[in-house]
Amino acid sequence: MNLSRSAPPRYSIRLVSAIATVALVLAATAGLAGAAAGVPSTSPAADNVLVNQDNSVITAHNSPSLAENPAKPNDLVVVDRVDRPDYNATIHISNDDGKTWQDSTIVLPAGSTSKLFAPTAVFDAQGILYVLFVTLSGPGNSPDSAWIERSTDGGISFDQPSHVTGANAFQTTLAIDRKTGRLYAAWLQSNATATHCNLCFTETGLPIVLSYSDDQGRSWSQPAQVSDAGRAMVGAPAVAVDPHGNPEVLYYDYGSDTEDWDNLAGTYGGKFTLVLARSTDRGSTFLPGVVVDADIVPPGRFLVYLPDSPGFAIGADGRLVASWADGRYGEADVLARTSNDGGAQWSAPVKVNGDPNGDGVNKSRPAVSAAPDGRIDILYYDGIFDHRGTTADVFLSTSTNGGRSYSTLKRVSSESSALSIGPQGSPYDPNADFGTRIAVLSEAHQTIAVWTDTRSGSPDTGRQDIYSGVVGFPASGLSTLAKAVAVLGILLGIIGVALFLLSRRRRSP
């Protein structure tokens, strides 16, 4: 009897090798298809829609805040501040997910002749809209009070405003815990003495504070101090609510920057610190601040009354994302850090824009949002198409790996905005004032962006408008083609493994 085993057919080995090679090529192709999304394109990823409908040739709209109605997700609201021809606050409504917009009116307190300013908007879980704003009075247009008003019809009409706090509340911002309906308002609290100067504070130690309301904004708690007592110059609070209903406030410590604080000539040579204040008792008290980043090189001069806000968001999984403009690499880049333990520890900084260090292209005003599936979206201005620094476009960078990297880069604005158009900003900055923020809202399959735009303005008119755009996303981070190629590669890989095991089995006794 011949006990020798016949050799396995050679074609099986060759076939397994060929299938494995094809599978690897397809997998690599899928990866390249996904990575290609990170290459900036001159073609916008979204149609741009004019939000404000007033069409005044001299009105300067900026600093938009965007809110979505969770009870009617197609209903959106944008509020913004107006700097010219006079100070004001305006509201705009969309019932078709941002395809079209109409203007509405924010209500002044009864009997008031003050000017509206600096609005922020949020919806609660039942679809009630809240708008926080300040009223300005006196020859210096100082804040005389902060107010909040409610709308049950998505911003078409409002009830009479409720008083939140008294005079000299600067840099107001608003957030809501949708599980309980608790509202959180934060601001920098100044005083009459500190504001008796031109675009400056004459005192240091002005605190950031926070107050909350459990009755739809009709009454408010005694403000709790948010910022650390030892930090002399702070500002630009950004508040978000964690999954436990606790407010967390991100703010700047400006170090010893007397140039901007006192509105003096020169350039500050020190660094800023980004600080997170955490509450564990739903806003009654705040723990000592946690340093998010202590090496921020200021990207330029700013108005101390109206500083740029850092980007800040908390995802449904509790991940915190902070983003800011930073000059540490030679120009203003957008950097971001994340925290997965409630803000106690933070990742290393990640550069959100993909261009090389030292290229001289400036970025500014990042806004952050987190999608339900964990996708992180950061919207910002980018001067990539004009290295002279005279124009900027709005770009969207996206992370699908928890903020470890940002690979998707999409141009959102279809036309560039001239940085010289608009009201004067800092006397020591050649650019116009583009406001303190832009806005972004992340949904499962799309991102809604809102920004200040000057395409219809000129240096003579100073016109600034609010524009919106919707960027679509597939269900996952890969494109449809990339996913199909990846699935085919996986199937071929499985077939290759099966043939390999079959050939081994035929070789066994």
Side-chain angles (χ1 to χ4, degrees):
M1 181 180 293
N2 186 358
L3 300 179
S4 64
R5 294 191 296 271
S6 59
R10 292 185 178 180
Y11 73 85
S12 298
I13 297 174
R14 289 197 298 268
L15 180 60
V16 171
S17 176
I19 290 175
T21 300
V22 171
L24 287 172
V25 170
L26 288 173
T29 302
L32 289 173
V39 179
S41 170
T42 59
S43 300
D47 293 332
N48 292 180
V49 180
L50 179 65
V51 173
N52 55 284
Q53 302 298 305
D54 53 9
N55 290 322
S56 169
V57 296
I58 59 173
T59 301
H61 295 266
N62 57 52
S63 308
S65 170
L66 172 64
E68 179 187 63
N69 186 348
K72 297 179 179 179
N74 286 335
D75 290 1
L76 304 173
V77 164
V78 167
V79 294
D80 63 84
R81 92 178 201 226
V82 175
D83 287 346
R84 291 174 61 178
D86 204 353
Y87 292 122
N88 198 3
T90 57
I91 180 170
H92 322 283
I93 302 167
S94 174
N95 301 122
D96 54 11
D97 216 22
K99 296 181 180 63
T100 60
W101 295 87
Q102 66 183 59
D103 291 343
S104 187
T105 303
I106 299 174
V107 176
L108 266 169
S112 174
T113 58
S114 299
K115 305 166 186 176
L116 298 172
F117 198 62
T120 307
V122 298
F123 278 98
D124 69 11
Q126 286 70 47
I128 298 176
L129 173 67
Y130 300 89
V131 177
L132 175 73
F133 60 90
V134 297
T135 49
L136 305 178
S137 65
N141 291 307
S142 294
D144 58 20
S145 283
W147 304 82
I148 195 165
E149 58 189 39
R150 295 156 294 275
S151 173
T152 58
D153 54 15
I156 297 174
S157 62
F158 289 91
D159 62 5
Q160 274 296 312
S162 300
H163 191 253
V164 177
T165 189
N168 297 299
F170 287 81
Q171 305 162 25
T172 53
T173 186
L174 182 68
I176 190 168
D177 176 11
R178 284 184 174 165
K179 294 178 182 177
T180 65
R182 174 171 282 192
L183 291 160
Y184 295 105
W187 63 91
L188 178 72
Q189 184 61 63
S190 184
N191 58 64
T193 302
T195 57
H196 281 175
C197 58
N198 183 28
L199 300 178
C200 67
F201 290 121
T202 58
E203 296 181 6
T204 58
L206 304 177
I208 294 171
V209 299
L210 177 140
S211 182
Y212 61 82
S213 173
D214 290 321
D215 57 5
Q216 298 184 332
R218 293 177 177 86
S219 63
W220 291 81
S221 68
Q222 183 70 22
Q225 181 158 335
V226 171
S227 54
D228 296 334
R231 300 185 185 275
M233 302 178 189
V234 298
V239 60
V241 181
D242 70 18
H244 306 291
N246 290 310
E248 306 208 20
V249 182
L250 189 70
Y251 66 91
Y252 281 114
D253 177 348
Y254 298 117
S256 56
D257 181 10
T258 55
E259 285 83 359
D260 288 299
W261 196 261
D262 295 336
N263 193 27
L264 304 174
T267 302
Y268 176 53
K271 295 181 179 180
F272 294 165
T273 299
L274 200 59
V275 184
L276 180 74
R278 306 158 65 203
S279 175
T280 58
D281 53 14
R282 302 183 63 223
S284 295
T285 60
F286 282 84
L287 301 173
V290 174
V291 172
V292 178
D293 196 292
D295 294 313
I296 299 173
V297 174
R301 298 297 303 266
F302 66 93
L303 290 172
V304 69
Y305 287 171
L306 300 168
D308 292 353
S309 298
F312 185 41
I314 301 178
D317 59 357
R319 178 182 288 114
L320 280 67
V321 187
S323 184
W324 66 97
D326 195 314
R328 70 181 66 181
Y329 299 128
E331 63 281 317
D333 292 297
V334 172
L335 304 185
R337 289 181 184 254
T338 59
S339 173
N340 295 321
D341 60 2
Q345 296 178 312
W346 290 82
S347 67
V350 175
K351 192 163 80 165
V352 174
N353 49 282
D355 47 324
N357 296 340
D359 65 353
V361 178
N362 291 319
K363 287 80 180 170
S364 65
R365 294 174 182 82
V368 179
S369 184
D373 63 357
R375 188 185 76 244
I376 300 171
D377 295 326
I378 299 184
L379 187 77
Y380 55 93
Y381 285 108
D382 194 328
I384 193 170
F385 297 133
D386 182 5
H387 284 223
R388 297 169 300 171
T390 60
T391 67
D393 277 84
V394 177
F395 274 78
L396 180 72
S397 287
T398 296
S399 175
T400 56
N401 59 11
R404 292 189 296 275
S405 63
Y406 291 82
S407 58
T408 301
L409 184 60
K410 297 177 182 290
R411 183 187 182 191
V412 182
S413 55
S414 58
E415 295 188 33
S416 301
S417 286
L419 299 178
S420 61
I421 296 177
Q424 181 182 358
S426 168
Y428 306 104
D429 188 331
N431 294 327
D433 182 5
F434 265 54
T436 61
R437 66 192 176 203
I438 55 179
V440 62
L441 176 66
S442 303
E443 299 176 336
H445 304 305
Q446 66 178 19
T447 298
I448 303 170
V450 180
W451 66 94
T452 303
D453 194 290
T454 69
R455 70 185 67 186
S456 298
S458 69
D460 291 333
T461 65
R463 175 174 174 173
Q464 295 177 329
D465 293 300
I466 305 299
Y467 270 80
S468 69
V470 179
V471 179
F473 284 95
S476 70
L478 292 179
S479 67
T480 303
L481 174 62
K483 289 188 291 182
V485 172
V487 169
L488 181 58
I490 292 171
L491 290 176
L492 287 175
I494 293 173
I495 293 172
V497 172
L499 288 175
F500 175 75
L501 293 176
L502 180 61
S503 68
R504 290 291 300 270
R505 181 177 180 182
R506 294 185 61 179
R507 294 175 60 187
S508 301

